[in-house]
Amino acid sequence: MRICIQKSTGKLIEMQSAATEGTLIQNALSAGFSPDDIEEREITEAEWADPNAPWNKPTDAELQAQAEAKRQALFAEYDKKALQYQREVRLGVAGAAEKLAAWDAYAEALRAINDTDGWYKDPQWPVKPEV
């Protein structure tokens, strides 16, 4: 099989199992890629399936979208817990204020997680309260 990759990123532009040499280069040029930034080559099935190959790794944009989706899901869980404990505080349930405070601290840690550049590459998620 033949692949055409973008040299600057290592990302796959195109793969064809029976392409003739030069076909993928022409396709990439037609798609607007710079001739200096593309490479076409023959690879084996094992190379194609290698999970560490650049074409099999998610882009930064994909990693960021995945991490942000998880972050929003964790905020939604926090919202449910916060509403529950706010009601319990209003009703005077013992220990509810402490539980609410623990979940509020969790939410603050969740808010701060993206303060660091590149946070989405290896997010260090805060630990949820066990209450």
Side-chain angles (χ1 to χ4, degrees):
M1 78 179 50
R2 296 193 75 73
I3 63 168
C4 184
I5 61 170
Q6 187 174 14
K7 290 179 187 177
S8 60
T9 63
K11 290 297 176 185
L12 181 71
I13 297 171
E14 183 178 8
M15 181 282 287
Q16 289 189 21
S17 58
T20 58
E21 187 173 350
T23 301
L24 303 182
I25 291 288
Q26 287 303 316
N27 292 347
L29 292 172
S30 296
F33 286 91
S34 166
D36 296 331
D37 195 28
I38 55 178
E39 175 187 337
E40 179 180 326
R41 66 180 175 193
E42 186 79 23
I43 64 168
T44 66
E45 291 286 335
E47 289 172 308
W48 175 249
D50 179 1
N52 294 315
W55 50 82
N56 289 329
K57 292 183 180 178
T59 64
D60 280 356
E62 291 167 334
L63 288 173
Q64 189 168 8
Q66 291 168 1
E68 188 57 38
K70 179 172 180 175
R71 186 170 171 259
Q72 292 307 315
L74 294 172
F75 272 126
E77 184 178 0
Y78 158 76
D79 288 342
K80 288 172 66 175
K81 290 291 189 177
L83 284 173
Q84 173 190 344
Y85 293 129
Q86 287 169 357
R87 278 192 298 275
E88 290 180 8
V89 166
R90 285 193 304 273
L91 294 170
V93 174
E98 292 79 12
K99 292 176 183 178
L100 180 59
W103 277 93
D104 283 343
Y106 170 75
E108 286 306 311
L110 201 51
R111 273 189 219 5
I113 197 170
N114 66 349
D115 286 348
T116 306
D117 285 340
W119 71 275
Y120 52 87
K121 293 178 182 178
D122 183 24
Q124 301 301 304
W125 302 109
V127 176
K128 290 181 202 173
E130 292 189 21
V131 292

